[in-house]
Amino acid sequence: MPKKKLIWYPGAMYHVTSRGNRRNDIFKEEQDYIVYLDNIKEAVKYYDNNYKIISYCLMTNHVHIQIKTNDKHLWYLISRVNKSYARNFNNKYNYVGHLFQSRYNAELIEEDSYVLEASKYIHLNPVRANMVSNPQEYKWSSYNMYIGKEKEKLVNSEYILSYFKNKDRELYKKYIESSISSST
């Protein structure tokens, strides 16, 4: 059965996921994560910054990306990123066939409360998967940029931080980490 057509309009925001085929790993070593992030950066630049990466987390067998579009459909960005990455991965590891389970999944985010919830869900994903006990410990997410432990690159935290008084990164950290005990 064909997938339902994705609702899109200028300025739409999405929680995007892409999963490895048969839930297989799509990242085997550190360089693979770097290549995927570089692909996102290249694609955003290629499309003249028509997209803002709000948050992300790269897990071993799937990715989560929160994206705000401008005036170009989400498909252009994700298609470019995933096709390029799959080509690179298959060449590197001498694989044939589909790397990703299917086309990406995208959930439209229309309510303010879900904007924050999506960011929280993405940043807590490694904690929920029992890979780390605190999101600060996970290297392949935008969380440390949000809390000011790393220089911000690729992501635009302004949108999420605008929900907190004075765009306070510490308030965002408390918001995320207050859910840790309830999420494990």
Side-chain angles (χ1 to χ4, degrees), residues 110-127:
E110 292 188 290
E111 296 182 26
D112 283 346
S113 61
Y114 189 54
V115 170
L116 288 175
E117 281 300 311
S119 176
K120 182 195 304 186
Y121 181 86
I122 289 168
H123 285 145
L124 287 177
N125 212 256
V127 175

Side-chain angles (χ1 to χ4, degrees), residues 43-80:
V44 168
K45 185 176 180 182
Y46 179 84
Y47 290 114
D48 296 322
N49 298 307
N50 265 287
Y51 306 94
K52 284 189 168 79
I53 306 303
I54 305 301
S55 61
Y56 69 84
C57 186
L58 309 182
M59 303 292 283
T60 53
N61 70 350
H62 67 284
V63 300
H64 291 272
I65 313 170
Q66 188 174 6
I67 302 172
K68 185 165 178 50
T69 66
N70 189 11
D71 59 3
K72 228 169 190 21
H73 195 288
L74 175 68
W75 176 85
Y76 291 100
L77 181 79
I78 299 302
S79 176
R80 184 175 182 88

Side-chain angles (χ1 to χ4, degrees), residues 29 35-37 49 64 82 91 95 116 120 129 136 157 166:
E29 58 185 49
V35 167
Y36 194 88
L37 292 173
N49 298 307
H64 291 272
N82 285 355
N91 286 338
Y95 284 4
L116 288 175
K120 182 195 304 186
Q136 291 179 55
S157 66
N166 300 323

Side-chain angles (χ1 to χ4, degrees), residues 157-173:
S157 66
E158 286 287 310
Y159 194 85
I160 296 290
L161 292 176
S162 70
Y163 287 90
F164 298 90
K165 184 178 180 182
N166 300 323
K167 298 182 181 178
D168 189 336
R169 292 177 187 279
E170 189 61 32
L171 289 175
Y172 180 78
K173 181 180 176 187

Side-chain angles (χ1 to χ4, degrees), residues 2-155:
K3 275 198 164 189
K4 195 169 108 177
K5 189 171 179 173
L6 181 65
I7 296 170
W8 177 82
Y9 51 85
M13 184 183 289
Y14 300 91
H15 176 186
V16 175
T17 55
S18 292
R19 182 176 302 283
N21 200 15
R22 295 181 191 88
R23 297 184 180 216
N24 289 333
D25 288 353
I26 56 174
F27 304 106
K28 292 185 174 280
E29 58 185 49
E30 186 165 316
Q31 188 58 35
D32 297 337
Y33 293 93
I34 294 167
V35 167
Y36 194 88
L37 292 173
D38 285 347
N39 283 353
I40 294 173
K41 184 178 179 181
E42 184 279 329
V44 168
K45 185 176 180 182
Y46 179 84
Y47 290 114
D48 296 322
N49 298 307
N50 265 287
Y51 306 94
K52 284 189 168 79
I53 306 303
I54 305 301
S55 61
Y56 69 84
C57 186
L58 309 182
M59 303 292 283
T60 53
N61 70 350
H62 67 284
V63 300
H64 291 272
I65 313 170
Q66 188 174 6
I67 302 172
K68 185 165 178 50
T69 66
N70 189 11
D71 59 3
K72 228 169 190 21
H73 195 288
L74 175 68
W75 176 85
Y76 291 100
L77 181 79
I78 299 302
S79 176
R80 184 175 182 88
V81 169
N82 285 355
K83 282 179 184 176
S84 176
Y85 182 75
R87 194 176 317 111
N88 179 297
F89 185 94
N90 286 348
N91 286 338
K92 179 179 181 179
Y93 295 107
N94 201 25
Y95 284 4
V96 177
H98 297 285
L99 175 62
F100 293 100
Q101 181 174 299
S102 62
R103 82 168 186 158
Y104 64 92
N105 184 43
E107 195 171 329
L108 181 63
I109 301 172
E110 292 188 290
E111 296 182 26
D112 283 346
S113 61
Y114 189 54
V115 170
L116 288 175
E117 281 300 311
S119 176
K120 182 195 304 186
Y121 181 86
I122 289 168
H123 285 145
L124 287 177
N125 212 256
V127 175
R128 288 191 184 102
N130 294 316
M131 297 170 80
V132 295
S133 58
N134 187 295
Q136 291 179 55
E137 300 167 14
Y138 195 72
K139 183 175 182 175
W140 303 110
S141 107
S142 54
Y143 185 69
N144 284 326
M145 292 173 229
Y146 267 79
I147 64 170
K149 288 192 83 170
E150 285 181 21
K151 183 177 183 257
E152 204 165 288
K153 52 189 179 284
L154 185 61
V155 298

